[in-house]
Amino acid sequence: MKLHILLIILTLLISAFSLSDEGLNVIKSESGFLFVFNDSQESFLVEIKGKKFIDVEPEELIFSIDGQIVQFTVVPLKEFFEENLNSDTLQQHFDYEFDFIKKNFKVSAKPIIQRSKFGRKVYYWELDRDLSHSDTSSETIVRQLFATTNIDSFVIMISSPITRSNDYKQCRKKIVEALKNIKFQKGKYDLEALRDSLMKK
Protein backbone atom coordinates (compact mmCIF):
# COMPACT_ATOMS: atom_id res chain seq x y z
CA MET A 1 0.00 0.00 0.00
CA LYS A 2 2.79 2.45 0.92
CA LEU A 3 4.57 1.65 -2.35
CA HIS A 4 1.35 2.32 -4.27
CA ILE A 5 0.92 5.73 -2.61
CA LEU A 6 4.56 6.59 -3.29
CA LEU A 7 4.15 5.77 -6.98
CA ILE A 8 1.08 8.02 -7.19
CA ILE A 9 2.96 10.94 -5.59
CA LEU A 10 5.93 10.46 -7.92
CA THR A 11 3.59 10.41 -10.92
CA LEU A 12 1.98 13.66 -9.76
CA LEU A 13 5.36 15.32 -9.34
CA ILE A 14 6.58 14.27 -12.77
CA SER A 15 3.32 15.52 -14.33
CA ALA A 16 3.48 18.81 -12.45
CA PHE A 17 7.07 19.51 -13.45
CA SER A 18 6.69 18.69 -17.15
CA LEU A 19 6.80 21.96 -19.09
CA SER A 20 4.13 23.38 -21.40
CA ASP A 21 4.58 26.40 -23.67
CA GLU A 22 1.25 27.93 -22.56
CA GLY A 23 -0.43 28.32 -19.18
CA LEU A 24 0.90 27.60 -15.70
CA ASN A 25 4.10 25.59 -15.18
CA VAL A 26 5.85 24.50 -11.99
CA ILE A 27 9.64 24.41 -11.72
CA LYS A 28 11.52 23.26 -8.61
CA SER A 29 13.69 26.04 -7.22
CA GLU A 30 16.37 26.06 -4.55
CA SER A 31 14.03 27.15 -1.75
CA GLY A 32 10.62 26.14 -3.06
CA PHE A 33 8.59 26.05 -6.25
CA LEU A 34 8.52 28.53 -9.11
CA PHE A 35 5.11 29.03 -10.76
CA VAL A 36 5.46 30.38 -14.28
CA PHE A 37 2.40 31.48 -16.26
CA ASN A 38 3.21 31.78 -19.95
CA ASP A 39 1.08 33.88 -22.29
CA SER A 40 1.92 35.18 -25.76
CA GLN A 41 1.38 38.81 -24.65
CA GLU A 42 2.27 38.94 -20.93
CA SER A 43 3.67 36.34 -18.54
CA PHE A 44 4.51 36.16 -14.84
CA LEU A 45 6.51 34.06 -12.43
CA VAL A 46 6.27 33.78 -8.67
CA GLU A 47 8.11 31.61 -6.17
CA ILE A 48 6.40 30.03 -3.18
CA LYS A 49 8.79 28.64 -0.60
CA GLY A 50 8.37 25.09 0.66
CA LYS A 51 9.59 21.52 0.48
CA LYS A 52 6.64 19.23 -0.25
CA PHE A 53 4.55 19.74 -3.39
CA ILE A 54 1.31 17.99 -4.40
CA ASP A 55 -0.64 18.70 -7.59
CA VAL A 56 -4.17 18.69 -6.12
CA GLU A 57 -6.35 19.84 -9.03
CA PRO A 58 -4.13 21.00 -11.91
CA GLU A 59 -7.10 21.92 -14.13
CA GLU A 60 -8.19 24.42 -11.45
CA LEU A 61 -4.58 25.50 -10.70
CA ILE A 62 -4.84 24.16 -7.14
CA PHE A 63 -1.71 22.89 -5.39
CA SER A 64 -0.51 21.96 -1.91
CA ILE A 65 2.80 23.23 -0.55
CA ASP A 66 3.82 21.85 2.83
CA GLY A 67 0.16 21.09 3.57
CA GLN A 68 -1.09 24.55 2.60
CA ILE A 69 -3.55 24.71 -0.30
CA VAL A 70 -2.74 27.42 -2.86
CA GLN A 71 -4.84 28.33 -5.89
CA PHE A 72 -3.96 30.61 -8.80
CA THR A 73 -6.67 32.47 -10.70
CA VAL A 74 -5.96 34.53 -13.81
CA VAL A 75 -8.84 36.93 -14.51
CA PRO A 76 -8.96 38.82 -17.85
CA LEU A 77 -9.80 42.49 -17.37
CA LYS A 78 -12.64 42.22 -19.89
CA GLU A 79 -14.60 40.14 -17.35
CA PHE A 80 -15.04 43.00 -14.88
CA PHE A 81 -13.21 46.25 -15.73
CA GLU A 82 -15.26 49.34 -16.56
CA GLU A 83 -13.40 52.41 -17.80
CA ASN A 84 -16.08 54.88 -16.70
CA LEU A 85 -15.61 54.04 -13.00
CA ASN A 86 -13.34 56.11 -10.74
CA SER A 87 -11.71 53.08 -9.08
CA ASP A 88 -8.59 51.41 -10.48
CA THR A 89 -8.19 47.84 -11.76
CA LEU A 90 -7.40 46.14 -8.44
CA GLN A 91 -10.23 47.87 -6.59
CA GLN A 92 -12.69 46.95 -9.33
CA HIS A 93 -11.51 43.35 -9.21
CA PHE A 94 -11.84 43.29 -5.40
CA ASP A 95 -15.41 44.62 -5.68
CA TYR A 96 -16.15 42.06 -8.42
CA GLU A 97 -14.86 39.10 -6.36
CA PHE A 98 -16.35 40.30 -3.09
CA ASP A 99 -19.80 40.88 -4.58
CA PHE A 100 -19.79 37.24 -5.66
CA ILE A 101 -18.60 36.01 -2.23
CA LYS A 102 -21.23 38.06 -0.37
CA LYS A 103 -23.98 36.24 -2.23
CA ASN A 104 -22.92 32.99 -0.60
CA PHE A 105 -21.37 34.01 2.75
CA LYS A 106 -22.03 36.56 5.48
CA VAL A 107 -18.64 38.23 5.44
CA SER A 108 -16.98 41.63 5.39
CA ALA A 109 -13.48 42.55 4.32
CA LYS A 110 -11.27 45.50 3.51
CA PRO A 111 -8.16 45.08 1.35
CA ILE A 112 -4.71 46.01 2.63
CA ILE A 113 -2.93 47.94 -0.13
CA GLN A 114 0.81 47.24 -0.38
CA ARG A 115 3.65 47.55 -2.88
CA SER A 116 5.64 44.68 -4.33
CA LYS A 117 9.43 44.56 -4.31
CA PHE A 118 9.32 45.97 -7.84
CA GLY A 119 6.91 48.82 -7.06
CA ARG A 120 3.77 47.09 -8.27
CA LYS A 121 0.50 47.67 -6.40
CA VAL A 122 -0.72 44.63 -4.45
CA TYR A 123 -4.01 43.93 -2.68
CA TYR A 124 -4.21 41.54 0.27
CA TRP A 125 -7.32 40.57 2.22
CA GLU A 126 -8.73 37.83 4.44
CA LEU A 127 -12.16 36.38 5.13
CA ASP A 128 -13.11 34.61 8.36
CA ARG A 129 -15.79 31.94 8.15
CA ASP A 130 -18.77 31.97 10.48
CA LEU A 131 -18.53 28.49 12.00
CA SER A 132 -20.75 26.48 14.27
CA HIS A 133 -19.45 25.98 17.83
CA SER A 134 -19.89 22.24 17.34
CA ASP A 135 -17.46 22.21 14.40
CA THR A 136 -14.08 21.40 15.92
CA SER A 137 -12.51 19.45 13.06
CA SER A 138 -8.85 20.26 12.39
CA GLU A 139 -9.59 20.09 8.64
CA THR A 140 -12.35 22.72 8.72
CA ILE A 141 -11.53 25.86 6.73
CA VAL A 142 -11.60 28.77 9.19
CA ARG A 143 -10.15 31.55 7.06
CA GLN A 144 -9.43 32.38 3.42
CA LEU A 145 -6.43 34.43 2.28
CA PHE A 146 -6.40 36.43 -0.97
CA ALA A 147 -3.64 38.40 -2.71
CA THR A 148 -3.90 40.13 -6.09
CA THR A 149 -1.92 42.24 -8.51
CA ASN A 150 -2.39 43.09 -12.16
CA ILE A 151 -0.77 43.82 -15.50
CA ASP A 152 -2.21 45.25 -18.70
CA SER A 153 -4.50 42.36 -19.66
CA PHE A 154 -5.33 40.41 -16.50
CA VAL A 155 -5.38 40.21 -12.70
CA ILE A 156 -3.48 37.46 -10.89
CA MET A 157 -5.09 36.22 -7.69
CA ILE A 158 -3.46 33.81 -5.24
CA SER A 159 -5.88 32.38 -2.69
CA SER A 160 -5.36 29.98 0.19
CA PRO A 161 -7.96 28.33 2.45
CA ILE A 162 -6.61 27.99 6.00
CA THR A 163 -7.69 25.10 8.23
CA ARG A 164 -7.26 24.70 11.98
CA SER A 165 -4.32 22.39 11.30
CA ASN A 166 -2.45 25.08 9.33
CA ASP A 167 -0.06 27.58 10.92
CA TYR A 168 -1.87 30.82 10.06
CA LYS A 169 1.15 33.12 10.47
CA GLN A 170 3.36 30.96 8.27
CA CYS A 171 0.63 30.59 5.64
CA ARG A 172 0.04 34.33 5.53
CA LYS A 173 3.77 35.02 5.28
CA LYS A 174 4.11 32.59 2.39
CA ILE A 175 1.36 34.28 0.35
CA VAL A 176 2.43 37.87 1.09
CA GLU A 177 6.10 37.18 0.30
CA ALA A 178 5.17 35.42 -2.93
CA LEU A 179 3.12 38.29 -4.30
CA LYS A 180 5.64 40.92 -3.21
CA ASN A 181 8.28 39.16 -5.32
CA ILE A 182 6.18 38.41 -8.39
CA LYS A 183 7.83 39.23 -11.74
CA PHE A 184 6.35 40.01 -15.14
CA GLN A 185 7.56 40.27 -18.69
CA LYS A 186 6.13 40.88 -22.15
CA GLY A 187 5.85 37.65 -24.12
CA LYS A 188 6.78 34.19 -22.87
CA TYR A 189 9.52 32.94 -20.57
CA ASP A 190 12.03 30.45 -21.95
CA LEU A 191 11.09 27.63 -19.59
CA GLU A 192 13.94 25.28 -20.48
CA ALA A 193 16.51 28.03 -19.96
CA LEU A 194 14.84 29.04 -16.70
CA ARG A 195 14.87 25.49 -15.37
CA ASP A 196 18.49 24.96 -16.46
CA SER A 197 19.58 28.14 -14.70
CA LEU A 198 17.89 27.01 -11.48
CA MET A 199 19.51 23.59 -11.68
CA LYS A 200 22.97 25.18 -11.89
CA LYS A 201 22.51 27.07 -8.63
Side-chain angles (χ1 to χ4, degrees), residues 16-19 24-28 33-36 53 55 63 195:
F17 296 151
S18 60
L19 300 181
L24 191 68
N25 292 269
V26 185
I27 301 174
K28 183 71 180 74
F33 304 92
L34 196 65
F35 294 84
V36 187
F53 175 93
D55 204 351
F63 311 94
R195 183 165 64 178

Side-chain angles (χ1 to χ4, degrees), residues 164-181:
R164 289 193 178 96
S165 62
N166 291 132
D167 183 328
Y168 161 70
K169 289 184 178 179
Q170 287 299 317
C171 291
R172 183 184 187 280
K173 181 180 178 182
K174 191 171 289 186
I175 298 300
V176 171
E177 283 188 353
L179 206 64
K180 280 190 173 182
N181 289 281

Side-chain angles (χ1 to χ4, degrees), residues 65-108:
I65 301 173
D66 294 345
Q68 178 182 355
I69 297 296
V70 175
Q71 181 173 18
F72 288 85
T73 307
V74 179
V75 187
L77 266 59
K78 62 183 179 181
E79 289 193 12
F80 66 88
F81 186 74
E82 297 181 32
E83 292 187 1
N84 60 337
L85 297 181
N86 292 326
S87 52
D88 64 12
T89 301
L90 284 183
Q91 183 62 46
Q92 285 194 37
H93 175 260
F94 171 79
D95 294 338
Y96 167 78
E97 292 288 345
F98 197 61
D99 283 346
F100 173 78
I101 293 170
K102 284 193 298 185
K103 293 176 183 177
N104 300 284
F105 303 97
K106 294 181 179 180
V107 294
S108 61

Side-chain angles (χ1 to χ4, degrees), residues 6 10 39 41 58 113 145 150 172 174 198-200:
L6 179 61
L10 286 173
D39 181 77
Q41 294 185 338
I113 302 172
L145 313 183
N150 71 288
R172 183 184 187 280
K174 191 171 289 186
L198 290 170
M199 291 176 66
K200 292 176 182 178

Side-chain angles (χ1 to χ4, degrees), residues 137-149:
S137 171
S138 62
E139 298 306 312
T140 296
I141 296 171
V142 296
R143 184 173 293 172
Q144 187 89 16
L145 313 183
F146 299 90
T148 58
T149 191

